[in-house]
Amino acid sequence: MSASTSSSDPSSSSSSSSSLTSATGSNKSPRVLSRASAATASSSSSSLASTSRADAIAALYACSNKLTDAGDKASEHQDACVAFLNAASAAAASSTSEAEKNLAAQSIPRFCAAFPELMERSLNAMFDLCEENNSLIRIYVIRGLPALVKGGAPFHKVLDVLRQLLLVDD
């Protein structure tokens, strides 16, 4: 009866592993098990990261669809625009995928006109995307900057960034 009690008790499982170590006379078995469990945890976290990336991209597409479907009432969906700004701001920390950055670079200029209170943040997000190594993202940003100016962004700031982009050898 005590054997069934000890197998369900979590504290007894640690004592059974220590008895395994003392019975074998070495720590090799538990270390091998911990390496195997670490490898399993590593592979599951990488698959979790790829799943979260796919979820993040799907969420950005959902935000784009929400703003597109809203039409003239897009200003009621500020949270959807903020999702694009967050994706672009995370680009500076390199925690977003290329697809998220591409989608943000294309969507921020498209939808920022409905949110004048987010214009400064939109402009800063686009400037963050200008620093990307991927030339396609920078092209999307350059194409989107005129829409930001039409929406009310300060012309002189955009002009300064375009001047700096001319010096890039890409």
Side-chain angles (χ1 to χ4, degrees):
M1 195 185 314
S2 67
S4 65
T5 309
S6 66
S7 65
S8 64
D9 185 22
S11 64
S12 65
S13 66
S14 64
S15 66
S16 66
S17 69
S18 64
S19 65
L20 175 67
T21 304
S22 62
T24 59
S26 70
N27 290 333
K28 291 181 182 177
S29 295
R31 241 184 271 161
V32 170
L33 290 176
S34 65
R35 287 181 187 160
S37 62
T40 303
S42 173
S43 66
S44 66
S45 67
S46 66
S47 66
L48 180 64
S50 65
T51 303
S52 66
R53 295 276 188 233
D55 291 343
I57 293 168
L60 288 176
Y61 275 112
C63 291
S64 178
N65 291 337
K66 182 193 292 187
L67 289 168
T68 302
D69 292 344
D72 293 337
K73 296 184 181 186
S75 60
E76 297 173 2
H77 301 287
Q78 184 173 356
D79 59 328
C81 187
V82 170
F84 291 116
L85 297 176
N86 291 339
S89 297
S94 298
S95 62
T96 58
S97 68
E98 296 293 317
E100 289 175 86
K101 294 172 190 176
N102 280 335
L103 189 57
Q106 293 174 27
S107 299
I108 289 172
R110 184 174 171 197
F111 300 118
C112 73
F115 306 102
E117 65 276 3
L118 296 176
M119 186 57 67
E120 186 70 27
R121 190 169 171 202
S122 298
L123 192 60
N124 289 333
M126 293 294 279
F127 291 162
D128 288 342
L129 290 171
C130 283
E131 297 173 3
E132 284 299 311
N133 291 332
N134 187 341
S135 62
L136 184 62
I137 294 173
R138 286 197 309 268
I139 289 169
Y140 289 141
V141 170
I142 292 168
R143 287 181 182 169
L145 288 175
L148 290 174
V149 171
K150 288 178 186 176
F155 180 73
H156 66 282
K157 284 185 179 181
V158 175
L159 186 61
D160 288 340
V161 169
L162 287 174
R163 256 189 248 146
Q164 290 176 11
L165 287 174
L166 283 173
L167 300 175
V168 175
D169 289 334
D170 223 10

